[in-house]
Amino acid sequence: MAKQNLELKATSFTLSVLHINHNDLDIIAAELDNKLAQAPQFFLGAPLVLNLSAIQHTHIDFNALKQLLIDRNLIIVGITDASAEQIEQAKSMGIAVVKSGKQARKAELPERATKIVKQNVRSGQQIYAQNADLIIFGAVGNGAEVIADGSIHIYGALRGKAMAGAAGDNQSVIIANSLEAELVSIAGQYWLTEHLQQYDLSQRGCVRLEGASLTVESLPQ
């Protein structure tokens, strides 16, 4: 039997959700530029779903918004929690309508392995634990990145970037002996240093999702 030239298969990808809370494009541009300046590589070329729940009843220029994001190397692949009018505008531009987490059926998560790293992760290094939890017996330095589809456990200081739940598992956590990170992310929800500074970063802590927001818990030493 000849091999088919096209195959349609179900799969899942992690997409970041950008919440648009204002219809003034100048305000959006200024705030977005500020975030991109803090973590440019995290967002570069990123496909985004726009959450429009806060502006469902206001008009927004989708053409101008799309161009604003394209100019910053960001790509709109869909919208969610939008009004009927906004959905029609998006469809006319070839932008998909995506069901929100509350609407979508939870995907079955595969069994995971564990990846163990017995060394410090230095600036410029990136470690990815695909379909696995990641355990690091060492520190993660400034400019280093550790990524896992599952949870991340760091038996040392976290000073670089840590991204857990990279395949979309919102039950993943990040645990480190001290949380001095440049960026932490779980299932696409992220915090930069400025958010973490409200906590005692010298203590052993756990970053996890509580609803749709990140939170930090202190753990026993």
Side-chain angles (χ1 to χ4, degrees):
M1 182 177 178
K3 183 178 180 180
Q4 294 182 343
N5 293 318
L6 294 174
E7 293 183 78
L8 185 61
K9 296 182 178 181
T11 186
S12 62
F13 295 93
T14 300
L15 297 173
S16 294
V17 179
L18 180 63
H19 290 255
I20 304 295
N21 298 325
H22 205 290
N23 65 345
D24 188 319
L25 295 182
D26 290 334
I27 292 176
I28 292 172
E31 292 190 8
L32 189 57
D33 286 340
N34 182 53
K35 290 185 180 296
L36 291 173
Q38 295 172 349
Q41 296 304 315
F42 183 71
F43 298 99
L44 187 63
L48 297 174
V49 173
L50 304 184
N51 185 299
L52 305 180
S53 58
I55 58 166
Q56 276 190 358
H57 305 295
T58 60
H59 173 75
I60 189 165
D61 187 338
F62 270 104
N63 283 306
L65 177 60
K66 182 179 180 181
Q67 190 59 50
L68 183 155
L69 295 170
I70 290 174
D71 290 344
R72 290 157 176 80
N73 292 315
L74 302 174
I75 304 166
I76 305 176
V77 297
I79 63 169
T80 189
D81 292 334
S83 68
E85 179 183 354
Q86 290 167 341
I87 288 173
E88 288 305 312
Q89 290 181 61
K91 285 182 176 179
S92 70
M93 296 173 58
I95 297 173
V97 178
V98 181
K99 290 184 178 182
S100 67
K102 294 179 181 178
Q103 299 168 313
R105 179 174 56 85
K106 291 184 178 179
E108 183 178 350
L109 297 174
E111 292 184 11
R112 287 206 183 99
T114 300
K115 181 171 184 175
I116 299 175
V117 176
K118 297 181 179 181
Q119 65 181 49
N120 292 330
V121 185
R122 303 187 184 281
S123 178
Q125 290 184 299
Q126 183 189 82
I127 293 176
Y128 174 39
Q130 184 176 14
N131 193 29
D133 295 325
L134 177 61
I135 296 176
I136 298 174
F137 292 103
V140 178
N142 293 319
E145 293 184 357
V146 292
I147 306 167
D149 288 344
S151 295
I152 298 174
H153 300 256
I154 301 169
Y155 293 92
L158 168 58
R159 298 189 179 95
K161 300 174 183 177
M163 288 159 267
D169 181 8
N170 58 14
Q171 299 300 310
S172 298
V173 299
I174 298 170
I175 295 174
N177 281 1
S178 63
L179 291 166
E180 307 164 49
E182 298 168 332
L183 178 146
V184 292
S185 171
I186 295 178
Q189 298 291 334
Y190 72 94
W191 271 1
L192 301 172
T193 303
E194 61 195 43
H195 293 94
L196 289 168
Q197 287 175 342
Q198 61 186 299
Y199 299 95
D200 183 356
L201 305 181
S202 64
Q203 295 187 8
R204 189 164 181 260
C206 172
V207 181
R208 62 178 179 82
L209 273 176
E210 189 172 86
S213 300
L214 295 180
T215 187
V216 174
E217 294 178 339
S218 295
L219 297 176
Q221 295 290 343

